[in-house]
PDB file of all heavy atoms in Angstrom:
ATOM      1  N   PHE A  77      72.570 141.918 126.233  1.00  0.00           N
ATOM      2  CA  PHE A  77      73.781 142.337 125.527  1.00  0.00           C
ATOM      3  C   PHE A  77      73.436 142.727 124.087  1.00  0.00           C
ATOM      4  O   PHE A  77      73.934 143.727 123.560  1.00  0.00           O
ATOM      5  CB  PHE A  77      74.810 141.207 125.538  1.00  0.00           C
ATOM      6  CG  PHE A  77      76.129 141.553 124.899  1.00  0.00           C
ATOM      7  CD1 PHE A  77      77.097 142.262 125.600  1.00  0.00           C
ATOM      8  CD2 PHE A  77      76.413 141.158 123.603  1.00  0.00           C
ATOM      9  CE1 PHE A  77      78.319 142.574 125.020  1.00  0.00           C
ATOM     10  CE2 PHE A  77      77.621 141.457 123.004  1.00  0.00           C
ATOM     11  CZ  PHE A  77      78.583 142.173 123.716  1.00  0.00           C
ATOM     12  N   HIS A  81      73.244 146.949 122.280  1.00  0.00           N
ATOM     13  CA  HIS A  81      74.182 147.349 121.232  1.00  0.00           C
ATOM     14  C   HIS A  81      73.458 147.357 119.885  1.00  0.00           C
ATOM     15  O   HIS A  81      72.446 146.683 119.714  1.00  0.00           O
ATOM     16  CB  HIS A  81      75.380 146.394 121.181  1.00  0.00           C
ATOM     17  CG  HIS A  81      76.182 146.370 122.448  1.00  0.00           C
ATOM     18  ND1 HIS A  81      75.851 145.575 123.522  1.00  0.00           N
ATOM     19  CD2 HIS A  81      77.296 147.060 122.823  1.00  0.00           C
ATOM     20  CE1 HIS A  81      76.733 145.757 124.494  1.00  0.00           C
ATOM     21  NE2 HIS A  81      77.609 146.663 124.093  1.00  0.00           N
ATOM     22  N   ILE A 146      81.748 152.778 118.333  1.00  0.00           N
ATOM     23  CA  ILE A 146      82.341 151.693 119.122  1.00  0.00           C
ATOM     24  C   ILE A 146      81.536 151.447 120.388  1.00  0.00           C
ATOM     25  O   ILE A 146      81.348 150.305 120.828  1.00  0.00           O
ATOM     26  CB  ILE A 146      83.811 152.015 119.468  1.00  0.00           C
ATOM     27  CG1 ILE A 146      84.667 151.964 118.193  1.00  0.00           C
ATOM     28  CG2 ILE A 146      84.354 151.043 120.508  1.00  0.00           C
ATOM     29  CD1 ILE A 146      86.101 152.352 118.398  1.00  0.00           C
ATOM     30  N   LYS A 147      81.014 152.513 120.983  1.00  0.00           N
ATOM     31  CA  LYS A 147      80.223 152.388 122.201  1.00  0.00           C
ATOM     32  C   LYS A 147      78.944 151.584 121.968  1.00  0.00           C
ATOM     33  O   LYS A 147      78.399 150.990 122.895  1.00  0.00           O
ATOM     34  CB  LYS A 147      79.867 153.770 122.745  1.00  0.00           C
ATOM     35  CG  LYS A 147      81.071 154.572 123.247  1.00  0.00           C
ATOM     36  CD  LYS A 147      80.644 155.944 123.728  1.00  0.00           C
ATOM     37  CE  LYS A 147      81.836 156.774 124.184  1.00  0.00           C
ATOM     38  NZ  LYS A 147      81.440 158.128 124.618  1.00  0.00           N
ATOM     39  N   THR A 149      78.794 149.099 119.764  1.00  0.00           N
ATOM     40  CA  THR A 149      79.199 147.857 119.115  1.00  0.00           C
ATOM     41  C   THR A 149      79.484 146.763 120.140  1.00  0.00           C
ATOM     42  O   THR A 149      80.085 147.013 121.189  1.00  0.00           O
ATOM     43  CB  THR A 149      80.455 148.087 118.253  1.00  0.00           C
ATOM     44  OG1 THR A 149      80.159 149.046 117.245  1.00  0.00           O
ATOM     45  CG2 THR A 149      80.904 146.792 117.587  1.00  0.00           C
ATOM     46  N   GLY A 150      79.066 145.550 119.833  1.00  0.00           N
ATOM     47  CA  GLY A 150      79.343 144.400 120.681  1.00  0.00           C
ATOM     48  C   GLY A 150      80.168 143.370 119.935  1.00  0.00           C
ATOM     49  O   GLY A 150      79.996 143.175 118.726  1.00  0.00           O
ATOM     50  N   LEU A 151      81.080 142.734 120.633  1.00  0.00           N
ATOM     51  CA  LEU A 151      81.904 141.664 120.079  1.00  0.00           C
ATOM     52  C   LEU A 151      81.466 140.343 120.704  1.00  0.00           C
ATOM     53  O   LEU A 151      81.454 140.208 121.925  1.00  0.00           O
ATOM     54  CB  LEU A 151      83.382 141.925 120.384  1.00  0.00           C
ATOM     55  CG  LEU A 151      84.362 140.785 120.066  1.00  0.00           C
ATOM     56  CD1 LEU A 151      84.442 140.547 118.564  1.00  0.00           C
ATOM     57  CD2 LEU A 151      85.752 141.106 120.633  1.00  0.00           C
ATOM     58  N   ASN A 171      88.443 148.136 123.607  1.00  0.00           N
ATOM     59  CA  ASN A 171      87.329 149.001 124.021  1.00  0.00           C
ATOM     60  C   ASN A 171      85.967 148.569 123.468  1.00  0.00           C
ATOM     61  O   ASN A 171      85.013 149.355 123.513  1.00  0.00           O
ATOM     62  CB  ASN A 171      87.584 150.462 123.631  1.00  0.00           C
ATOM     63  CG  ASN A 171      88.843 151.016 124.277  1.00  0.00           C
ATOM     64  OD1 ASN A 171      89.135 150.718 125.434  1.00  0.00           O
ATOM     65  ND2 ASN A 171      89.600 151.809 123.525  1.00  0.00           N
ATOM     66  N   ILE A 172      85.865 147.350 122.942  1.00  0.00           N
ATOM     67  CA  ILE A 172      84.577 146.848 122.457  1.00  0.00           C
ATOM     68  C   ILE A 172      84.002 145.894 123.501  1.00  0.00           C
ATOM     69  O   ILE A 172      84.668 144.952 123.938  1.00  0.00           O
ATOM     70  CB  ILE A 172      84.710 146.128 121.107  1.00  0.00           C
ATOM     71  CG1 ILE A 172      85.285 147.083 120.050  1.00  0.00           C
ATOM     72  CG2 ILE A 172      83.356 145.601 120.645  1.00  0.00           C
ATOM     73  CD1 ILE A 172      85.459 146.442 118.683  1.00  0.00           C
ATOM     74  N   ASP A 173      82.763 146.133 123.913  1.00  0.00           N
ATOM     75  CA  ASP A 173      82.098 145.234 124.871  1.00  0.00           C
ATOM     76  C   ASP A 173      82.080 143.815 124.303  1.00  0.00           C
ATOM     77  O   ASP A 173      81.736 143.617 123.132  1.00  0.00           O
ATOM     78  CB  ASP A 173      80.668 145.696 125.131  1.00  0.00           C
ATOM     79  CG  ASP A 173      80.608 146.968 125.963  1.00  0.00           C
ATOM     80  OD1 ASP A 173      81.626 147.296 126.611  1.00  0.00           O
ATOM     81  OD2 ASP A 173      79.558 147.636 125.952  1.00  0.00           O
ATOM     82  N   THR A 174      82.411 142.857 125.147  1.00  0.00           N
ATOM     83  CA  THR A 174      82.617 141.488 124.667  1.00  0.00           C
ATOM     84  C   THR A 174      81.757 140.473 125.420  1.00  0.00           C
ATOM     85  O   THR A 174      81.605 140.550 126.638  1.00  0.00           O
ATOM     86  CB  THR A 174      84.101 141.094 124.808  1.00  0.00           C
ATOM     87  OG1 THR A 174      84.909 142.027 124.073  1.00  0.00           O
ATOM     88  CG2 THR A 174      84.346 139.689 124.277  1.00  0.00           C
ATOM     89  N   PHE A 175      81.222 139.525 124.657  1.00  0.00           N
ATOM     90  CA  PHE A 175      80.478 138.388 125.232  1.00  0.00           C
ATOM     91  C   PHE A 175      81.042 137.114 124.607  1.00  0.00           C
ATOM     92  O   PHE A 175      81.199 137.030 123.388  1.00  0.00           O
ATOM     93  CB  PHE A 175      78.986 138.506 124.942  1.00  0.00           C
ATOM     94  CG  PHE A 175      78.125 137.758 125.919  1.00  0.00           C
ATOM     95  CD1 PHE A 175      77.307 138.448 126.806  1.00  0.00           C
ATOM     96  CD2 PHE A 175      78.127 136.366 125.981  1.00  0.00           C
ATOM     97  CE1 PHE A 175      76.515 137.773 127.728  1.00  0.00           C
ATOM     98  CE2 PHE A 175      77.345 135.681 126.892  1.00  0.00           C
ATOM     99  CZ  PHE A 175      76.532 136.390 127.772  1.00  0.00           C
TER     100      PHE A 175
END
Side-chain angles (χ1 to χ4, degrees):
F77 183 81
H81 298 85
I146 291 176
K147 293 178 182 178
T149 299
L151 171 67
N171 300 321
I172 301 180
D173 288 342
T174 302
F175 204 112

